[in-house]
Amino acid sequence: MRVLVAEDDVGLRSVLERGLRENGYVVDAVADGEWALRFLRTYDYEVAVLDWRMPTVSGIDVVRELRRHGSQLPVLMLTARDAPSDRVMGLDAGADDYLIKPFDFAELLARIRALQRRSPALQSPRLTVGDLEFDPATREVHVEGRNPGLTGTELSILEILMRRAPAVVERRAIALHVWDEEADALGSNTIDVHMARLRSKLGSGRTRIETVRGIGFRIVPT
């Protein structure tokens, strides 16, 4: 899952970026609303975490701009403003959820997971292809009743393949979804190495990952 974090406080931004990475997210972290809008125009995200008060463009104006262009991206607003009128303003502007500073990081993770489940990109809480099941909320995978013990990178690759199954997922889309610097993955055999390890761990059950030469990969039931 790729998440955008826009927070002008250097310390908090660092904590959010590090904590989300440790929990399996690909994170782009920026310091103001103008850069947030630039990244939102460039990349596809599953969730955006925006600070209300930021330089150049405020978090609430970022949300308004998203909604004005028809984006349904789930947005979690962070703010020290705790008056009911402030919460109403943020939600009316288009934010999906609201977290008041200071907050517990575990609650932030729970709220992001809840927004993921509500995302229009999700067809169902649990993804299933053949005998392979993946629960995005718990990040648990089972194939033929066993846990294949996937790494965070392998989980992210599997997730995008299963979300878009049976369609072919382009190599660039995988790189954008899984790695912070997609050029590093595209300019080497990194994707192929991880794909080979993933195939090995999934074994020879009723699901296989196919290579579509010159394009990318897809996962299909056998």
Side-chain angles (χ1 to χ4, degrees):
M1 281 290 188
R2 196 176 192 102
V3 177
L4 176 68
V5 172
E7 167 60 60
D8 66 328
D9 183 282
V10 177
L12 179 55
R13 186 171 69 250
S14 177
V15 168
L16 292 172
E17 184 175 6
R18 184 175 63 253
L20 288 169
R21 289 183 196 277
E22 290 173 352
N23 282 273
Y25 292 93
V26 174
V27 184
D28 291 325
V30 298
D32 61 59
E34 183 177 339
W35 274 102
L37 287 172
R38 290 184 184 182
F39 272 71
L40 287 164
R41 295 186 192 109
T42 304
Y43 300 106
D44 291 326
Y45 294 98
E46 277 71 31
V47 176
V49 180
L50 307 176
D51 181 35
W52 183 309
R53 292 184 178 275
M54 290 189 291
T56 65
V57 181
S58 70
I60 199 165
D61 285 335
V62 171
V63 176
R64 286 175 175 145
E65 183 71 6
L66 282 172
R67 303 310 182 219
R68 189 171 70 85
H69 286 87
S71 172
Q72 298 183 53
L73 175 69
V75 173
L76 173 61
M77 187 76 73
L78 303 180
T79 182
R81 304 174 64 154
D82 59 356
S85 59
D86 294 325
R87 292 197 292 275
V88 169
M89 185 186 302
L91 294 170
D92 282 347
D96 297 276
D97 200 358
Y98 197 101
L99 192 56
I100 297 171
K101 304 175 184 177
F103 53 82
D104 184 82
F105 190 76
E107 182 179 0
L108 174 85
L109 287 175
R111 288 176 181 267
I112 289 177
R113 289 194 296 269
L115 289 176
Q116 288 175 230
R117 291 193 294 272
R118 287 156 50 185
S119 170
L122 302 184
Q123 296 181 355
S124 65
R126 186 181 294 271
L127 305 174
T128 303
V129 178
D131 58 354
L132 186 61
E133 290 189 354
F134 175 56
D135 187 336
T138 62
R139 309 287 290 173
E140 290 183 350
V141 174
H142 291 92
V143 56
E144 297 182 311
R146 63 180 176 85
N147 185 331
L150 304 183
T151 65
T153 299
E154 291 160 355
L155 280 170
S156 294
I157 293 173
L158 182 63
E159 182 174 11
I160 189 172
L161 290 175
M162 293 184 71
R163 286 195 187 284
R164 301 191 183 181
V168 177
V169 184
E170 295 182 356
R171 298 175 70 91
R172 183 174 184 273
I174 294 173
L176 285 169
H177 181 82
V178 179
W179 283 275
D180 297 309
E181 298 295 335
E182 67 274 13
D184 294 341
L186 288 172
S188 65
N189 67 340
T190 299
I191 293 177
D192 299 285
V193 169
H194 282 86
M195 201 67 70
R197 292 173 180 167
L198 177 58
R199 283 174 169 139
S200 176
K201 290 184 179 181
L202 295 181
S204 56
R206 299 198 308 274
T207 309
R208 71 173 182 269
I209 298 173
E210 297 180 341
T211 300
V212 181
R213 292 191 178 279
I215 303 177
F217 305 87
R218 65 183 169 202
I219 189 166
V220 295
T222 57

